[in-house]
Amino acid sequence: MFSPIGHTVNPMSAEALRRRLDQATAQLEPPLAAVDLDAFDRNAADLVRRAGGKPIRVASKSIRCRTLLDRALARPGFAGVLSYSLAEALWLAETCQDVLVGYPTTDRAALRRLIGSDRAREAVTIMVDDVAQLDLIDATFGSRRAPIQVCLDLDASWHGPAGVSVGPLRSPAHTVPDAVRLARAVLARPGFSLVGVMSYEGQIAGVQDHPRGQFLRGALVRVIKSRSVTELAERRALAVAAIGELTELRFVNGGGTGSLETTAAEDAITELAAGSGLIGPTLFDGYRTFRPAPALFFALPVVRKPGPRVATVFGGGYLASGPADSLRLPVPYLPSGLRLSALEGAGEVQTPLLGRAADSLAIGDRVWFRPAKAGELAERFPVYHLVQGAESAETPTYRGESQTFG
Ligand SMILES: Cc1ncc(COP(=O)(O)O)c(C=O)c1O
């Protein structure tokens, strides 16, 4: 039996999961969000296996819940956080000794707090890919201060034939000379200390290479990935070696959930990053070499029955970021056999669900959904209900701790 976007739901195990989620959260009112801790732990173990002995930095944007971050970090094989904003990093650094901010910052208020705290400066490393980011800090705070730890972001995109470029539009530092120039610029500035290098190959880690029903697209993506893996391994090795001649690096970070094996195979890489693989959202259903277990769900109540084969649930419009395509929509998962309507999709306050399974639903019943991406659901729900066996316990998300970082 197939759900609307690209994954097979085994009816036996799906029914068992539905019963377990329903039972563990029976006393709670939907809308609610639940995490299957057994699936989360299995996913964590599989990420560690795929990392082949290199430590995994947890990508917090894909989790956004401190209890779950801590749960991953408590396992052997995980070390440090890859955070997504400096303000978040400062907050996490109250309890975590090693937080790398994965993206550049211009948040002067957060920078002021970083500069003013020895403890924060020891725990937090900021990301730089342009001297203008250093200029902004010096222009605001001067350069006579204790140094801020800096990581260089090197572009990992693939430049193919005929000017084709595939990969995230991030760092302008693409070539080995670009990387060396940037490293020299940081090393020449008082007030900064160069400690690491990161480069994220989104075109390998973040693109499904086995999308259901799209054989040709899958084949093309696999060809591009394989060329990009080869090219990047060479370029990254040269860049890291050249920077290593100038200074001793504490870490070289690369990859994401979708690329752990190939990134880990590079000698130049000392650590990996991953977050989505712990959660197993639908955008990670279509990879050839791994399949995370779905671990995050949300339940919505059926509030009306407009007609045969339609049941309408309350809420549901929790779309994921990225290009506005149907892959960004949440997927009705349990009971299986439901789909979104093409005209209404996942609605602002209500979502009609179509399919034969709708006839088996009564007003007040629940439908369990899966999100397309891993972290953003935490911006919708103040708590996650952590399900283990037939029990559940609630824990706050970032939103539940009144922390929103963009
Ligand atoms: C810098 C960086 N590293 C790693 C990742 C991988 O995160 P995930 O494993 O959640 O896909 C991302 C995702 O966008 C990223 O931006």
Side-chain angles (χ1 to χ4, degrees), residues 160-238:
V164 176
S165 173
V166 186
L169 289 168
R170 294 193 185 181
S171 170
H174 179 79
T175 64
V176 176
D178 290 344
V180 170
R181 213 171 304 122
L182 189 57
R184 281 191 200 283
V186 175
L187 290 166
R189 312 266 294 233
F192 299 100
S193 123
L194 178 57
V195 299
V197 165
M198 185 200 78
S199 72
Y200 170 61
E201 56 269 50
Q203 73 281 12
I204 302 167
V207 179
Q208 307 191 60
D209 55 14
H210 194 53
R212 184 175 161 260
Q214 294 183 281
F215 178 79
L216 281 178
R217 184 187 158 89
L220 179 66
V221 168
R222 289 197 295 276
V223 168
I224 291 172
K225 281 193 184 191
S226 137
R227 300 221 173 144
S228 177
V229 163
T230 308
E231 185 277 331
L232 182 58
E234 280 172 25
R235 181 158 52 88
R236 231 169 359 197
L238 291 171

Side-chain angles (χ1 to χ4, degrees), residues 59 61-62 82 102-103 170 198 200 205 253 255-258 273-277 284:
K61 74 175 183 62
S62 303
L82 179 72
Y103 315 85
R170 294 193 185 181
M198 185 200 78
Y200 170 61
N253 182 287
T257 291
S276 303
F284 283 83

Side-chain angles (χ1 to χ4, degrees), residues 98 274 354 375:
D98 179 5
L354 313 180

Side-chain angles (χ1 to χ4, degrees), residues 54-57 79-83 97-103 121-128 148-154 193-199 236 239-241 243-244 247-255 266-273:
K54 293 198 173 159
I56 300 172
R57 198 176 270 284
V81 174
L82 179 72
S83 78
Q97 307 311 311
D98 179 5
V99 188
L100 171 62
V101 186
Y103 315 85
R121 272 187 300 94
E122 265 168 42
V124 174
T125 302
I126 64 166
M127 191 63 62
V128 164
I148 300 173
Q149 302 186 97
V150 166
C151 176
L152 301 184
D153 187 346
L154 304 185
S193 123
L194 178 57
V195 299
V197 165
M198 185 200 78
S199 72
R236 231 169 359 197
V240 170
I243 296 171
T247 190
E248 193 175 333
L249 294 171
R250 211 174 61 223
F251 63 86
V252 179
N253 182 287
E266 292 182 32
D267 288 340
I269 296 288
T270 65
E271 58 167 56
L272 307 157

Side-chain angles (χ1 to χ4, degrees), residues 11-332:
M12 295 277 283
S13 55
E15 238 348 274
L17 176 64
R18 183 184 177 201
R19 264 200 310 278
R20 204 156 61 78
L21 291 173
D22 278 344
Q23 196 183 354
T25 61
Q27 307 308 318
L28 305 166
E29 284 300 327
L32 63 91
V35 176
D36 179 349
L37 286 182
D38 294 336
F40 184 91
D41 290 345
R42 275 201 313 276
N43 287 340
D46 197 49
L47 292 175
V48 170
R49 176 192 64 75
R50 294 177 53 221
K54 293 198 173 159
I56 300 172
R57 198 176 270 284
V58 186
S60 65
K61 74 175 183 62
S62 303
I63 308 292
R64 304 189 198 211
C65 166
R66 286 207 288 184
T67 306
L68 293 177
L69 286 174
D70 290 345
R71 191 176 180 93
L73 287 169
R75 300 178 70 97
F78 290 89
V81 174
L82 179 72
S83 78
Y84 57 98
S85 89
L86 179 56
E88 180 207 16
L90 294 170
W91 180 56
L92 294 177
E94 290 169 15
T95 53
C96 178
Q97 307 311 311
D98 179 5
V99 188
L100 171 62
V101 186
Y103 315 85
T105 186
T106 60
D107 180 346
R108 292 177 177 85
L111 284 162
R112 187 180 306 284
R113 287 197 283 138
L114 175 70
I115 287 166
S117 159
D118 290 345
R119 220 182 97 102
R121 272 187 300 94
E122 265 168 42
V124 174
T125 302
I126 64 166
M127 191 63 62
V128 164
D129 62 25
D130 191 319
V131 288
Q133 292 144 358
L134 307 178
D135 293 342
L136 180 139
I137 295 172
D138 281 349
T140 314
F141 304 103
S143 58
R144 286 164 60 88
R145 48 184 167 72
I148 300 173
Q149 302 186 97
V150 166
C151 176
L152 301 184
D153 187 346
L154 304 185
D155 178 44
S157 65
W158 180 64
H159 294 181
V164 176
S165 173
V166 186
L169 289 168
R170 294 193 185 181
S171 170
H174 179 79
T175 64
V176 176
D178 290 344
V180 170
R181 213 171 304 122
L182 189 57
R184 281 191 200 283
V186 175
L187 290 166
R189 312 266 294 233
F192 299 100
S193 123
L194 178 57
V195 299
V197 165
M198 185 200 78
S199 72
Y200 170 61
E201 56 269 50
Q203 73 281 12
I204 302 167
V207 179
Q208 307 191 60
D209 55 14
H210 194 53
R212 184 175 161 260
Q214 294 183 281
F215 178 79
L216 281 178
R217 184 187 158 89
L220 179 66
V221 168
R222 289 197 295 276
V223 168
I224 291 172
K225 281 193 184 191
S226 137
R227 300 221 173 144
S228 177
V229 163
T230 308
E231 185 277 331
L232 182 58
E234 280 172 25
R235 181 158 52 88
R236 231 169 359 197
L238 291 171
V240 170
I243 296 171
E245 300 273 306
L246 306 175
T247 190
E248 193 175 333
L249 294 171
R250 211 174 61 223
F251 63 86
V252 179
N253 182 287
T257 291
S259 76
L260 290 185
E261 296 88 347
T262 54
T263 313
E266 292 182 32
D267 288 340
I269 296 288
T270 65
E271 58 167 56
L272 307 157
S276 303
L278 294 163
I279 296 292
T282 60
L283 280 172
F284 283 83
D285 284 346
Y287 285 77
R288 201 167 49 136
T289 53
F290 68 97
R291 170 74 75 94
L296 176 62
F297 308 91
F298 58 95
L300 303 177
V302 175
V303 286
R304 55 178 154 200
K305 303 278 306 270
R309 298 189 179 184
V310 193
T312 299
V313 291
F314 177 73
Y318 317 142
L319 277 66
S321 56
D325 57 26
S326 62
L327 292 179
R328 309 281 144 179
L329 291 163
V331 173

